Amino acid sequence: MTRPPTGVTGPVPDGSRHWKALGVCLLVGFMSLLDVSIVNVALPSIDRGLDAGPAELSWVLSGYALTFGLTLIPAGVLGDMWGRRTAFLTGLVSFTVASAACGLAPTALTLVLFRLLQGVASGLIGPQISGLIQELFTGPERSRAFGYFGTTVGLATAVGPLAGGLLIEAAGPADGWRWVFFVNVPIGVLAFALALRLIPGRAGCGSSQGTLGRRVDGVGVLLLGLGLVAVLLPLIQEQQWKGPAKWWLIPLGLALLAAFAAWERRTARGGGVPLVDLALFRTASYVWGAVLGMLYFAGFSTIFFIFTLYLQNGLGYSALTAGLAVTPFAAGSAVSAAVGGRLVTTRGRALIVGGLALVIAGTGLAALAVHLVPGENAGWATAGPLLLAGVGSGLVIAPNLALALAEVPLARAGTAGGVIQTAQRLGTAIGVACVGAAFFAHLAGTGSWAGAFQVGVLVALGFEAAAMAGALADLRRRRRAAASAPA
């Protein structure tokens, strides 16, 4: 039986029930993460069904990403305060209702509004999953659980286009997009029933530290929210907002985030409870994990963005066949993430270095395959490289999260998980902006979709190489610390 972590009150279920509770968490996490990528292939169907313009279609994607990213850190705090079960169930109900509302949306504007709410609900769910893993598991079992979580992240990212293509193929191009959202409703209802039964109703880790009844740091929420909006908005809307004026929002956002950090320090010195405990950033493993995650997501998640554009718009693939083309990545990630969860306790950061090497090799080979086979068979030519990159990705995402949270106090697990996931969302926005700019600039200049994909991959490889440099630096730090530690 898995022993309860220190400071957790209430009955602890047996080991079997721990894993069943994890299964519910991963089902809900898969559903919410899937909506980040599944809607990409549904945009032409939404355009036909609602006569949506480019601005509305852009906000169907970017609005969800924006509110999702903004909610993560406050959601982690709420989980630490309320108890993670309560926050998880609240997010699940909200997400299911918002999904049904999206599917029933009569106009493009109402769809955008409901997508904003859906993003908030998804952001409320995310930190509770990593927090529950911290709460329910210890030692090697925790690493295995994070391995399964990494499988979920990889599958949701890669399977989204395939799932969207299947639904649109089955329901038709006019209303197929509605089923992209409706499919969440029965899953959400089932998951809610299972969560009520299987996820332990604990007081929450924060309660043992006197945080259950604390008030939310309203000034901190405001400063953080405004800062993140100012940084993320021009990145997310890079293709839609023309002209250079939008980039002035980024230094404004950085100034607001600096003001947020100053406020949090002042709150802590005054005896209050800050929104984010800045002491987290004195833990080297946590800082390196957050930075590496941001850089990695800037590179890996953008590959699917430009690859699906190349296949559908450049080669005329249907939504279904474009989804099938990225399935090798999902398959490789699914297998290796579970293995990575078992190996991270013994191999540590070296495992992540090996995974990044495979990702870089697979990504580079995919660009080479498109160069050698630029026609309609490009999807087949990239299958092997994407499988290799998927295997590598499974050895990066979950092991990095496990190492980053390993030294975080249990009472702050939700907040810490929210900060790391926010860094990942920020990395994705930065990557899409940079890779997208290179991709569309080359396409406008040459008209070559294959060439644009290869240029975009080169930019993505730059982010992946930066993540590798960070992983190697942390590996050296850990080895020096181990060598200088007393026997």
Side-chain angles (χ1 to χ4, degrees), residues 191-210:
F192 183 79
L194 292 173
L196 283 176
R197 181 169 177 263
L198 295 173
I199 295 181
R202 306 181 184 191
C205 297
S207 63
S208 64
Q209 305 296 326

Side-chain angles (χ1 to χ4, degrees), residues 37 40-41 153-161 296 299-312 322-323 325-330 333 386 389-390 393 432 435 453 457 460:
S37 59
N40 282 301
V41 296
V153 173
L155 281 175
T157 303
V159 169
Y296 180 68
F300 122 90
S301 60
T302 54
I303 296 298
F304 300 104
F305 168 63
I306 60 174
F307 191 49
T308 53
L309 282 175
Y310 166 54
L311 293 178
Q312 289 187 265
V326 299
T327 301
F329 183 97
S333 177
L386 287 179
S393 184
V432 168
V435 172
F453 173 71
V457 167

Side-chain angles (χ1 to χ4, degrees), residues 150-167:
T151 300
T152 302
V153 173
L155 281 175
T157 303
V159 169
L162 174 59
L166 287 170
L167 289 168

Side-chain angles (χ1 to χ4, degrees), residues 354-435:
L356 283 168
L358 293 177
V359 171
I360 291 171
T363 304
L365 288 172
L368 178 62
V370 167
H371 176 72
L372 297 175
V373 189
E376 62 182 16
N377 290 322
W380 289 105
T382 56
L386 287 179
L387 177 65
L388 181 65
V391 171
S393 184
L395 300 177
V396 174
I397 296 176
N400 180 62
L401 186 59
L403 291 177
L405 295 177
E407 300 177 44
V408 170
L410 201 57
R412 303 300 284 170
T415 307
V419 170
I420 286 186
Q421 291 187 57
T422 300
Q424 292 172 353
R425 301 284 78 75
L426 181 60
T428 299
I430 293 171
V432 168
C434 296
V435 172

Side-chain angles (χ1 to χ4, degrees), residues 164-221:
L166 287 170
L167 289 168
I168 292 169
E169 187 84 8
D175 290 318
W177 68 269
R178 296 187 184 275
W179 289 96
V180 167
F181 301 109
F182 283 148
V183 73
N184 293 329
V185 177
I187 298 174
V189 172
L190 173 64
F192 183 79
L194 292 173
L196 283 176
R197 181 169 177 263
L198 295 173
I199 295 181
R202 306 181 184 191
C205 297
S207 63
S208 64
Q209 305 296 326
T211 60
L212 187 61
R214 85 176 197 232
R215 295 170 60 185
V216 175
D217 176 13
V219 175
V221 170

